[in-house]
Amino acid sequence: GEDVEQSLFLSVREGDSSVINCTYTDSSSTYLYWYKQEPGAGLQLLTYIFSNMDMKQDQRLTVLLNKKDKHLSLRIADTQTGDSAIYFCAESENNDMRFGAGTRLTVKP
Amino acid sequence: GAVVSQHPSWVICKSGTSVKIECRSLDFQATTMFWYRQFPKQSLMLMATSNEGSKATYEQGVEKDKFLINHASLTLSTLTVTSAHPEDSSFYICSATGFGANVLTFGAGSRLTVL
């Protein structure tokens, strides 16, 4: 089946940039998403990108898409302790959505 | 923006009882709703897709008689876990899309604990 893969853990120091990477296999993906999940909570949509774009910036968040390599990344600038959470990459074609396993971001003071 | 509300946030029940979880779209018409299950430290697993007014489509391995899904209106879908057992304890999340929602919107989730 189609897969979405991301590394499980990332640890950074407060103030540094965080880069969370994701790869996917479905070449017909139309949307790619980044979701944030804080402990005990549901998913919060952080940002999404259309497959015909290669970059999207929203305040401290930068999404880069390399469609040829099927690689998606999320950069968080000036990472804060409040950014500690699990970040899920997801891709979809129409409404059929597939998630990665999530990357647990730990921000150290 | 589009908002999806889930209720209850937490529920504890005895083994053998049934539990209903509601998923409501507050400011848009949800033509399609999805139910996911998340085990501890794992990703989301899609359980079923429901279109308003139709029977839900269940993913392989999900028992439709165990997890009853109803989507009778454009703003409400319910998931009923029938005869719950401890192995059904999990975090259940719904999402919705439809008229007035540009992307898939998720509820906050419902944590079910079966004793």
Side-chain angles (χ1 to χ4, degrees):
Chain A
E2 306 295 353
D3 285 326
V4 178
E5 294 188 357
Q6 46 183 132
S7 52
L8 295 181
F9 301 98
L10 177 65
S11 178
V12 301
R13 292 207 174 276
E14 191 173 17
D16 289 349
S17 292
S18 307
V19 179
I20 303 171
N21 294 300
C22 171
T23 57
Y24 60 98
T25 59
D26 186 358
S27 58
S28 58
S29 299
T30 51
Y31 294 87
L32 295 115
Y33 306 81
W34 284 104
Y35 287 88
K36 177 182 181 182
Q37 185 181 33
E38 296 183 0
L43 297 181
Q44 172 194 357
L45 177 64
L46 287 179
T47 186
Y48 65 95
I49 190 169
F50 296 109
S51 59
N52 62 357
M53 299 170 61
D54 51 22
M55 182 178 123
K56 181 177 179 181
Q57 186 153 4
D58 183 3
Q59 299 182 337
R60 293 191 297 122
L61 305 179
T62 303
V63 178
L64 295 179
L65 174 62
N66 182 327
K67 196 173 180 180
K68 173 176 171 290
D69 294 339
K70 300 189 184 70
H71 182 268
L72 181 75
S73 68
L74 173 69
R75 179 176 181 270
I76 305 173
D78 187 25
T79 314
Q80 302 297 307
T81 54
D83 295 324
S84 293
I86 301 175
Y87 291 81
F88 289 94
C89 163
E91 56 92 9
S92 74
E93 180 187 4
N94 299 320
N95 288 320
D96 185 14
M97 181 174 273
R98 284 163 290 275
F99 288 84
T103 299
R104 183 178 294 276
L105 174 64
T106 302
V107 183
K108 298 178 180 178
Chain B
V3 178
V4 171
S5 170
Q6 249 184 274
H7 178 80
S9 302
W10 297 82
V11 56
I12 300 173
C13 70
K14 290 183 179 179
S15 185
T17 61
S18 294
V19 174
K20 181 185 284 187
I21 301 170
E22 294 186 346
C23 179
R24 292 182 185 272
S25 58
L26 299 186
D27 51 2
F28 67 99
Q29 293 182 319
T31 52
T32 306
M33 285 186 166
F34 304 85
W35 286 95
Y36 300 84
R37 182 173 180 177
Q38 185 182 32
F39 291 100
K41 299 182 181 179
Q42 293 190 30
S43 187
L44 298 174
M45 288 178 51
L46 178 65
M47 297 174 67
T49 302
S50 75
N51 293 298
E52 184 266 336
S54 303
K55 288 184 179 179
T57 302
Y58 289 80
E59 295 297 302
Q60 192 173 8
V62 178
E63 299 175 60
K64 61 181 180 181
D65 295 329
K66 173 89 175 156
F67 298 99
L68 300 178
I69 292 171
N70 182 282
H71 189 174
S73 79
L74 283 170
T75 58
L76 174 65
S77 175
T78 59
L79 167 68
T80 301
V81 183
T82 61
S83 186
H85 287 91
E87 58 266 28
D88 298 325
S89 298
S90 192
F91 195 54
Y92 293 88
I93 303 176
C94 74
S95 66
T97 188
F99 306 121
N102 291 328
V103 294
L104 204 57
T105 304
F106 283 82
S110 301
R111 183 165 298 284
L112 169 64
T113 301
V114 184
L115 302 177

